[in-house]
Amino acid sequence: MDITTTVWIVTCVVIAALFVFDFFAHVRVPHAPSLKESGSWSVVYISIAVVFGLFVWWKWGSTYGGEYFAGYVTEKALSVDNLFVFVIILSKFAVPKEYQQKVLLLGIVMALIMRGLFIAVGAAAINTYSWIFYLFGAFLLYTAVKLVSDSDDPVDHEEQRETRLERFVKRYLRTSDEYDGDKLFTKANGKRLATPMLMVLTVIGFTDVLFALDSIPAIYGLTQEPYLVFTANAFALMGLRQLYFLLGGLLDRLVYLSYGLSFILAFIGVKLVLHALHENTLPFINGGEHVSVPEVSTAVSLSVIILTLVITTVASLIRSRNSESTPS
């Protein structure tokens, strides 16, 4: 896939412009968005992502188009799971609803920057060391197991991590327990203090690093094209703020989402290991020669990912409905 510097620059400028537009059109004036506003703009951003995917399909062919859509769907699913963590963070710090949009948008921008750095490092590592796919595959398998083991009480796990981060920040900064609008710093008794808003952004920023550690190896298991990895991540993150307010309480109903994502990550992990064996250069594996193993096609990957998400969502909603209808 031949991507010129001009194409990279134009793509980055367009994505940055969309985020700037989002800020000035919806976030600059603090308010709690309505369901209609969140729903309509979610459709807009998903439509932009789909149109871009169709452009990739037309311009560079069905192989790259399929890889983009597989990556986009996977990153979007992982982003929905990330929303649950955002709910916990915003609830724990009691962020006023009218300021939540700004926190989420800044968090999403930080996430995109983090992922951009990881994408660059990942691309350099893949081009230099083919055995990096073994590490990516093993890490995704570990993440899949951990995702299931942590699903017993995700709120408790997340709050423990936030408490440790909060203690770390308070050790080095003088902090206030009161919000001062959406300001990061305030003054009290002549002293400059960090507001809880800065604490929230610090926690979200650290969480973004953890999210990137999961998502970048996962999408590199679906495509090795840095351009597709970046754009799939960017468009998956775009509109995430609107999706947060649109889904609302529905997140609590997706009780099997962690299991579905765990299966997807494990599937991609196995796919990466098979690819690593196929491209093997390690001397202690088959004498450094390629291992004849089947490789999973993009069409199969996309089908497995979509089917898993559909089954997970339907099963979750059925379980939640049955739980509500069962008398306590």
Side-chain angles (χ1 to χ4, degrees), residues 272-283:
L272 278 169
V273 172
L274 290 175
H275 179 74
L277 288 170
H278 190 266
E279 302 291 329
N280 178 62
T281 57
L282 295 178

Side-chain angles (χ1 to χ4, degrees), residues 8-324:
W8 269 107
I9 293 174
V10 170
T11 302
C12 291
V13 168
V14 169
I15 290 172
L18 287 171
F19 277 108
V20 171
F21 166 78
D22 198 18
F23 176 79
F24 283 99
H26 304 109
V27 177
R28 185 175 59 168
V29 178
H31 71 285
S34 65
L35 193 64
K36 180 181 179 182
E37 178 186 336
S38 300
S40 59
W41 281 103
S42 291
V43 171
V44 167
Y45 284 120
I46 291 174
S47 299
I48 292 173
V50 171
V51 169
F52 178 79
L54 294 176
F55 171 75
V56 171
W57 198 297
W58 169 77
K59 178 70 175 178
W60 289 287
S62 59
T63 298
Y64 293 123
E67 289 179 359
Y68 165 80
F69 279 114
Y72 172 74
V73 171
T74 300
E75 293 300 326
K76 200 68 174 178
L78 289 170
S79 296
V80 171
D81 188 52
N82 299 159
L83 285 180
F84 181 74
V85 176
F86 288 161
V87 169
I88 298 172
I89 294 173
L90 296 182
S91 298
K92 182 179 185 299
F93 288 97
V95 180
K97 199 149 192 175
E98 62 269 25
Y99 301 128
Q100 289 182 4
Q101 289 203 95
K102 184 174 183 179
V103 172
L104 289 169
L105 184 61
L106 290 175
I108 290 167
V109 171
M110 286 192 295
L112 185 57
I113 293 172
M114 296 287 185
R115 294 186 187 196
L117 295 174
F118 276 87
I119 289 167
V121 172
I126 288 170
N127 289 333
T128 307
Y129 309 106
S130 62
W131 51 262
I132 202 72
F133 287 108
Y134 285 115
L135 296 182
F136 280 2
F139 181 75
L140 287 183
L141 290 171
Y142 164 78
T143 303
V145 173
K146 192 173 186 301
L147 194 59
V148 172
S149 63
D150 287 352
S151 64
D152 55 343
D153 194 352
V155 174
D156 183 58
H157 288 290
E158 186 59 35
E159 288 186 343
Q160 286 180 16
R161 184 169 66 196
E162 290 164 20
T163 301
R164 290 194 294 269
L165 277 171
E166 189 176 359
R167 286 200 301 264
F168 177 80
V169 173
K170 286 185 175 181
R171 184 184 304 171
Y172 297 99
L173 288 176
R174 290 181 295 186
T175 60
S176 167
D177 294 329
E178 301 296 329
Y179 284 93
D180 185 6
D182 58 358
K183 296 179 181 178
L184 301 181
F185 292 91
T186 187
K187 282 189 175 182
N189 299 322
K191 296 180 179 178
R192 186 175 175 83
L193 304 175
T195 68
M197 189 68 74
L198 179 63
M199 193 78 67
V200 173
L201 288 174
T202 302
V203 172
I204 287 180
F206 180 80
T207 305
D208 287 337
V209 176
L210 300 181
F211 290 164
L213 287 173
D214 294 342
S215 65
I216 299 307
I219 195 171
Y220 267 122
L222 300 169
T223 177
Q224 278 82 62
E225 293 293 334
Y227 183 74
L228 297 182
V229 173
F230 175 75
T231 51
N233 268 277
F235 286 118
L237 290 171
M238 203 171 293
L240 191 60
R241 176 183 60 79
Q242 289 86 352
L243 200 59
Y244 172 89
F245 293 100
L246 179 64
L247 293 180
L250 183 61
L251 288 173
D252 293 334
R253 298 172 180 265
L254 300 178
V255 292
Y256 295 128
L257 179 61
S258 292
Y259 295 99
L261 291 176
S262 176
F263 176 79
I264 290 173
L265 291 178
F267 170 78
I268 298 175
V270 171
K271 184 176 185 291
L272 278 169
V273 172
L274 290 175
H275 179 74
L277 288 170
H278 190 266
E279 302 291 329
N280 178 62
T281 57
L282 295 178
F284 54 86
I285 297 178
N286 197 37
E289 298 294 324
H290 303 333
V291 180
S292 180
V293 293
E295 288 212 77
V296 182
S297 67
T298 301
V300 171
S301 299
L302 184 58
S303 300
V304 169
I305 292 166
I306 292 176
L307 184 61
T308 301
L309 292 175
V310 169
I311 293 174
T312 299
T313 302
V314 172
S316 295
L317 295 178
I318 292 174
R319 166 69 183 277
S320 298
R321 187 179 62 182
N322 291 340
S323 298
E324 290 175 357

